[in-house]
Amino acid sequence: MNILRHRLLGLPALALLIAAVGCSSSDAHPSAAVPSPDAKVAKLCRNLDEVLPRKVGGQGRNDPEPRSALTAGWGSPAIILRCGVERPAEMSDPDADGVEVNGVGWLLQKENDGSFRFTTTLRQAYVEVTIPKARTAGGAGPLVDVAPAVKKAIPEGIAS
């Protein structure tokens, strides 16, 4: 009788263990370093956060941790947007790759892990969009969804 009781008591614990294992880290929120721009750029970034699309690249919003109006994410693995980042040194390279999407210029950088990082050019705040390797088949496609918001919230000009 004692043995049966232990087995029955063990079933809920086993079910809990299986449920916990079923929740993988890919189900969790992604993480991203929050930029720390000056007050003027931070205001522009908050304006951008208010007009960002609900979906990017067909993926729903999945904001990174820690939560901030300066970061956003979509899907899993997440396409990550960070607003107010520093000017990439590669922008000084005349041979750097760039692309224009819906009136917004972007510096293109391929990362060692196979992901792509795009950073706005000629805007008053630098906006960075990182597309993970698992989502690079669509190329710069997610920028098509993000560009209208950037165009609306981040005026043209040179970020200081």
Side-chain angles (χ1 to χ4, degrees):
M1 187 93 157
N2 246 355
I3 293 173
L4 182 57
R5 181 178 295 163
H6 287 294
R7 284 187 188 159
L8 291 176
L9 290 176
L11 287 178
L14 179 61
L16 182 62
L17 178 63
I18 290 170
V21 171
C23 296
S24 69
S25 61
S26 65
D27 295 334
H29 288 286
S31 64
V34 177
S36 52
D38 65 29
K40 177 186 171 195
V41 170
K43 183 178 183 328
L44 293 173
C45 292
R46 285 191 298 278
N47 293 342
L48 175 62
D49 187 56
E50 292 176 10
V51 296
L52 285 172
R54 292 176 55 133
K55 287 192 170 189
V56 168
Q59 302 297 308
R61 192 90 181 239
N62 183 20
D63 287 345
E65 297 289 341
R67 299 288 183 157
S68 170
L70 305 180
T71 61
W74 296 268
S76 181
I79 296 164
I80 298 290
L81 178 145
R82 298 184 328 126
C83 185
V85 298
E86 294 290 322
R87 180 182 188 274
E90 290 81 353
M91 282 195 185
S92 299
D93 182 353
D95 295 324
D97 290 328
V99 61
E100 184 172 334
V101 178
N102 292 347
V104 177
W106 301 87
L107 169 71
L108 162 64
Q109 297 171 283
K110 184 168 184 181
E111 301 297 306
N112 291 336
D113 65 0
S115 65
F116 286 95
R117 180 180 301 155
F118 296 88
T119 307
T120 55
T121 61
L122 303 176
R123 294 276 161 185
Q124 291 183 19
Y126 292 108
V127 178
E128 172 189 282
V129 175
T130 302
I131 302 172
K133 182 179 180 180
R135 301 208 179 279
T136 58
L143 300 182
V144 171
D145 298 327
V146 172
V150 169
K151 203 171 180 180
K152 182 175 184 175
I154 311 293
E156 290 184 272
I158 305 292
S160 48

